[in-house]
Amino acid sequence: MFQPGELVSHPIYGLCRIHAIQKAKGFGKSEEDCFVFLIGSSQNKTTVFLPVRQAGEAGLRYPITRIQAEGLLRILQMPADGVYADLQPQEVLERFAACLHQSDIFKLAEAVRNFSKLGFADTDFYFENLNSRKREQILFDRAVGKLIEELSLSSGSTGREMRKKIRLCLKKAKPVFLGKRKMAATVLN
């Protein structure tokens, strides 16, 4: 079981430290043991509670290891798997957005790779213009940010170094054009 002081990956808030375990009451239920997280800056902290009994179901987990990080980078280099090929753009965005709140960082890496190959998220544009406000770019930004956070921690790299590495990984698998639509099929360099 997780303990106070441990660094964990929260499916919504990303990497954070368990501040304490204390009794809390939620939604009219009786008090129960909850993990307490202090999220935000030192000037503006928000307290987040997660019932201990729901930690696994909610997706609370330990950060990835260095070996897992290497596997995650390999996933980003692989050809896209076509999972989004037959979906309408709105359905693609909904599925991609759902991946952001899952605890499986490897599935998030697959989603980033696949999404970037469909042409919704311009990978070069993302890495060169972080102020883009298109919904697709915002989703891509959040997903890549989660990857950068975990990969940087596990590898001891800076966020900037990891951003460059992710960009290079995503460029290794180039999209194939089938008809008028850029499809999820890819070929490697």
Side-chain angles (χ1 to χ4, degrees), residues 58-72:
L60 194 67
R61 61 175 175 75
Y62 287 108
I64 61 173
T65 65
R66 181 178 220 106
I67 292 171
Q68 289 171 319
E70 291 168 5
L72 195 142

Side-chain angles (χ1 to χ4, degrees), residues 6-172:
E6 287 187 311
L7 187 64
V8 295
S9 180
H10 190 286
I12 295 172
Y13 301 106
L15 294 177
C16 51
R17 198 164 298 283
I18 298 172
H19 179 70
I21 297 176
Q22 70 181 48
K23 297 272 185 204
K25 188 176 183 180
F27 302 111
K29 295 183 179 180
S30 61
E31 286 191 349
E32 61 182 308
D33 285 338
C34 291
F35 291 116
V36 180
F37 302 95
L38 300 178
I39 308 295
S41 67
S42 58
Q43 295 86 14
N44 188 16
K45 289 222 183 272
T46 300
T47 304
V48 175
F49 295 90
L50 176 63
V52 169
R53 66 178 173 75
Q54 293 179 345
E57 182 183 325
L60 194 67
R61 61 175 175 75
Y62 287 108
I64 61 173
T65 65
R66 181 178 220 106
I67 292 171
Q68 289 171 319
E70 291 168 5
L72 195 142
L73 289 170
R74 280 193 299 276
I75 287 170
L76 292 172
Q77 296 176 43
M78 294 170 59
D81 61 18
V83 69
Y84 297 142
D86 296 326
L87 301 177
Q88 295 298 315
Q90 186 61 34
E91 292 173 297
V92 171
L93 290 175
E94 288 169 7
R95 283 202 187 173
F96 186 73
C99 288
L100 284 169
H101 300 299
Q102 292 180 358
S103 65
D104 190 335
I105 194 81
F106 298 97
K107 288 202 182 297
L108 180 62
E110 290 173 0
V112 164
R113 178 200 62 218
N114 293 337
F115 194 73
S116 71
K117 298 304 162 204
L118 282 175
F120 284 98
D122 181 342
T123 310
D124 284 333
F125 181 79
Y126 165 74
F127 286 104
E128 292 165 9
N129 182 359
L130 296 178
N131 294 322
S132 171
R133 289 293 141 220
K134 289 198 271 181
R135 181 169 182 228
E136 298 87 4
Q137 289 300 143
I138 292 168
L139 290 173
F140 193 70
D141 177 37
R142 289 181 58 207
V144 171
K146 284 180 98 168
L147 295 176
I148 289 171
E149 184 179 53
E150 288 229 25
L151 287 166
S152 296
L153 176 70
S154 64
S155 68
S157 301
T158 66
R160 178 174 284 183
E161 292 168 337
M162 197 49 62
R163 177 175 278 123
K164 287 179 185 176
K165 191 174 266 191
I166 290 171
R167 180 181 187 182
L168 290 173
C169 287
L170 290 173
K171 284 183 168 245
K172 288 192 178 184

